[in-house]
Amino acid sequence: MAESVDRLFVHCRELVTLAEGPATGARRGAAMRQLGVIADGAIAVRGGRVVATGPTERITRDYRATDELDLSGFVVMPGFVDCHTHPVFATTREQEFHMRCAGADYMAIAAAGGGILSSMRAVREMPLEQLAARTERHLWGFAAHGTTTVECKTGYGLSLVDEQKSLQALQRAAGKVPLTTKRTFLGAHEFPPEYRQDRDAYVRLLCDEMIPTLAPHADYCDVFAEPGVFDRAQSERILVAARAHGLRLRMHADEIQPMGGAELAVQLGAVSADHLGRISDAGIAAMAQSDTVGVLLPGTILFLAKPHYAPARRMIDAGCAVAIATDFNPGSCHTQSMSLIQTLACSQMKMSAEEVITAATINPAFSLQLDHEVGSLHPGKRADLCVFDMPSWRAVGYMFGGNPVVMTVKDGVPLSANVVEQRPDWSSPRGAR
Ligand code: NIG
Ligand code: FE
């Protein structure tokens, strides 16, 4: 007798499960290339969770449901896990983009009071309701691009009340959008104007007031560790204080100038070290021996027109746990497309198609302590899916500039964000590809 479930997704042209490898933990080296692809695949879902995956023939024999969705023609993978974003902002900063295109430098714009501080002014001025609505719109944008789990940083308030407002806006927005979200307190994103003459006083405010007050409302604490912003000693003080208040640690590390950021992240037991365009050999060696995930953000390097993409190949070959993410923010990378990030990861960082799938699903899930819930289609995990209009999973990264995601499924429910009615025909003139 067939077992009854809520819904069946059937006839996926290819179903990428990542279920050949272990359900939890980060995947390193050759294990990043084990995808578990099922031709004409199907998924049985009950209570929003994966019950089973397999060939459609077997799944439809073993399971029955009144609700059956035919996905013939489409490639299906686990929903994207975007583990580094800054969605709590009020206004865009396109003028800075064009200033950079005309020759201005990102850090010089920031030093002149633009950059993060201009976003800070906008966030401080915007009422909570409106900031929550903006943030909600940004979250729907992730969903439309196939992201089902997203890490969200604050960092444009830079005062106790404005960081609190940012966390509240995030909480309200997250309550309205069916995505799995994690919250990161990034009060150490920049020094606000009122503390620019006495930077250590802002570090004290962070450690003694902001972190103790806001830690219950966040999952992680992050610091923009960069020469000219938070130096090594300041970053360490802030992160140690955050850890003492129960927050796990993430870090903007070695982005523009090398600073031993990766080494510090490992030393502090951070769950991730992010950017890493200028990571040192010692940093790579330290990360390879640790559970600190290297979150690479090639969209930012592209958008800022910087020369140093993170050395993904060397990191993967050394055994580091590597993830990729959008870094969606109003200044240095305004994209929500993990598909575009996969293109850059392949073409600029020389990652393989298999690696950029693993780096966008199970590895970022591990960095968010959600690997038991999302990131692969093992039975028991959330039925979070990304449905692609592409001929094969191998076309990942290849189609760029548009959105190859035609449907996002969260907890077994298709979101209507971007469903297309027309079925693709990917057959070649002579039949089989
Ligand atoms: O990750 N590096 C610092 N923070 C962001 C940029 C934020 C901004 O410019 O608004 C980043 O690139
Ligand atoms: Fe960032």
Side-chain angles (χ1 to χ4, degrees), residues 72-294:
S72 52
F74 296 107
V75 173
V76 178
M77 301 192 204
F80 287 127
V81 178
D82 192 347
C83 67
H84 183 134
T85 84
H86 305 248
V88 193
F89 64 85
T91 52
T92 53
R93 302 198 329 247
E94 56 277 14
Q95 71 287 2
E96 289 175 19
F97 169 64
H98 292 295
M99 281 166 74
R100 284 198 301 277
C101 295
D105 177 69
Y106 177 74
M107 293 304 270
I109 293 171
I116 293 169
L117 291 185
S118 87
S119 288
M120 179 209 73
R121 289 189 289 274
V123 161
R124 287 184 176 183
E125 277 166 23
M126 189 170 274
L128 170 60
E129 281 303 319
Q130 209 182 342
L131 186 60
R134 287 288 154 95
T135 306
E136 182 186 337
R137 194 156 71 91
H138 296 151
L139 294 185
W140 281 114
F142 291 113
H145 287 86
T147 293
T148 47
T149 297
V150 59
E151 181 264 8
C152 306
K153 303 175 198 295
T154 66
Y156 296 114
L158 308 183
S159 72
L160 177 58
V161 287
D162 295 298
E163 284 295 313
Q164 192 159 35
K165 180 172 78 177
S166 299
L167 283 167
Q168 283 168 344
L170 178 56
Q171 193 183 357
R172 285 193 195 185
K176 292 195 175 160
V177 183
L179 296 181
T180 297
T181 54
K182 287 266 191 161
R183 304 151 302 172
T184 299
F185 168 66
L186 181 54
H189 199 187
E190 181 52 286
F191 289 91
E194 55 276 24
Y195 287 98
R196 285 191 91 77
Q197 304 315 320
D198 186 0
R199 294 181 165 221
D200 277 336
Y202 186 58
V203 175
R204 284 197 299 279
L205 178 74
L206 281 163
C207 296
D208 300 343
E209 286 184 46
M210 293 169 76
I211 289 169
T213 310
L214 301 179
H217 308 288
D219 303 296
Y220 304 99
C221 179
D222 194 340
V223 174
F224 185 15
E226 184 72 29
V229 196
F230 292 87
D231 66 25
R232 202 188 147 106
Q234 291 165 334
S235 301
E236 184 168 349
R237 274 169 61 197
I238 295 160
L239 293 170
V240 166
R243 197 173 53 185
H245 282 87
L247 294 174
R248 290 181 195 250
L249 313 179
R250 317 187 78 84
M251 233 179 111
H252 283 68
D254 298 326
E255 176 180 354
I256 299 168
Q257 298 295 328
M259 199 181 99
E263 292 91 320
L264 180 60
V266 171
Q267 181 198 315
L268 295 174
V271 294
S272 76
D274 304 32
H275 280 294
L276 305 177
R278 309 304 307 277
I279 188 173
S280 67
D281 290 345
I284 295 178
M287 288 195 66
Q289 298 300 317
S290 77
D291 275 338
T292 304
V293 177

